[in-house]
Amino acid sequence: MLDEFVEHKKEILSVIENIEDLSKNDAGIGDGLLAMVRKRLVTNSFNLVVLGQFKRGKTTLINSLIGKEVLPSSVVQLTSIVTILRFSQEIRCIIFMEDGSEREISVEELPRYVTEKENPGNVRRVRCAIIEYPSPFLEAGMMLVDTPGVGSTFLHNTETTYGFLDHLDAALFLMSADVPISQVEKELLDTIKDSTQKIFFVLNKIDNLTSNEMEEIVAFNKQVLEEMGFAVHKIWPISAREALKAKIINNDVQLLQSGLL
């Protein structure tokens, strides 16, 4: 399998080189996209984009996967800027501005740039934020991408999320156990159909349900997704909040019960 992957990677890199040679006289045609694809192939990195409607627990899920409250979360819709976590031996936080400049800040300063509360309407003109973090979960090259929730009070949050879909390699689509899948969620799923078929469906907040209730909502959502044309092998039930608590206090039983494993 590894040899096959390496061979495919060589073939794709060769195709990119040929396209670049052919387009040398047509400056700007796909240059940025080709460079991005080449870099991700060479570094074995890919974007796992966490998507969903607002207040589904996307940020809490990412924090639980990392095992620490790295990203800011709140009881009201909070994330307003695409925030990317990637592996590094040292903790760094870099803010990329819309004017092309960038600045390095502390992780504690992150809410000033990526939250609706402290950067309303993106008045600071932030393009995205990247956090480098020494998490084993990220070490193989996965970049976890936190996106603003769609369908929130703020239209620009939905627009920001839709604008990032071109950079999606695989998606983790987060639903909530306390409500059936909504029309807003269906519209987002319809949009990403053409971007990737690599979608993991996750049902969060299962700690609010009995086992029978959980089975009922899983079955309903699975039926809706299959009617939309998705091949749903499984919907993963979890409690991101309980998983994060378990990792912080190092409670293996609580972590197992959260479903995150």
Side-chain angles (χ1 to χ4, degrees), residues 16-156:
I16 291 173
E17 186 177 343
N18 290 336
I19 293 173
E20 288 175 329
D21 287 341
L22 289 170
S23 62
K24 277 181 180 176
N25 296 326
D26 297 305
I29 297 182
D31 288 351
L33 182 59
L34 286 171
M36 180 182 68
V37 172
R38 187 197 312 106
K39 181 177 180 180
R40 278 153 64 180
L41 280 168
V42 170
T43 60
N44 287 331
S45 61
F46 69 96
N47 287 328
L48 177 60
V49 182
V50 183
L51 296 167
Q53 194 167 349
F54 73 102
K55 300 315 302 170
R56 294 305 190 249
K58 296 183 297 298
T59 300
T60 302
L61 173 59
I62 291 175
N63 283 337
S64 71
L65 290 168
I66 301 302
K68 189 176 177 64
E69 291 187 90
V70 181
L71 301 180
S73 61
S74 170
V75 294
V76 296
Q77 52 258 43
L78 191 70
T79 304
S80 62
I81 301 297
V82 169
T83 307
I84 303 166
L85 280 93
R86 68 187 183 194
F87 181 79
S88 175
Q89 295 291 351
E90 303 293 332
I91 299 175
R92 290 179 70 217
C93 187
I94 308 152
I95 303 296
F96 294 85
M97 311 301 290
E98 289 183 350
D99 64 6
S101 63
E102 58 186 74
R103 62 189 65 171
E104 188 167 341
I105 63 170
S106 66
V107 173
E108 290 73 23
E109 294 177 276
L110 187 63
R112 292 183 58 204
Y113 296 90
V114 303
T115 67
E116 191 62 47
K117 181 179 180 180
E118 298 193 42
N119 182 20
N122 194 18
V123 293
R124 298 184 188 276
R125 316 313 301 168
V126 177
R127 182 163 60 88
C128 71
I130 292 181
I131 301 173
E132 297 182 341
Y133 201 81
S135 167
F137 190 77
L138 305 171
E139 197 165 2
M142 184 196 315
M143 293 189 289
L144 269 175
V145 183
D146 192 15
T147 61
V150 299
S152 76
T153 309
F154 308 104
L155 178 61
H156 59 269

Side-chain angles (χ1 to χ4, degrees), residues 189-224:
L189 283 165
D190 270 333
T191 303
I192 66 174
K193 263 183 182 177
D194 295 332
S195 301
T196 182
Q197 282 295 310
K198 303 179 188 71
I199 304 174
F200 300 92
F201 294 100
V202 178
L203 186 72
N204 191 23
K205 305 183 183 182
I206 61 168
D207 45 307
N208 296 330
L209 300 182
T210 66
S211 57
N212 287 339
E213 289 172 333
M214 186 178 72
E215 289 176 9
E216 184 178 354
I217 191 70
V218 166
F220 177 85
N221 284 354
K222 187 172 187 290
Q223 180 181 343
V224 171

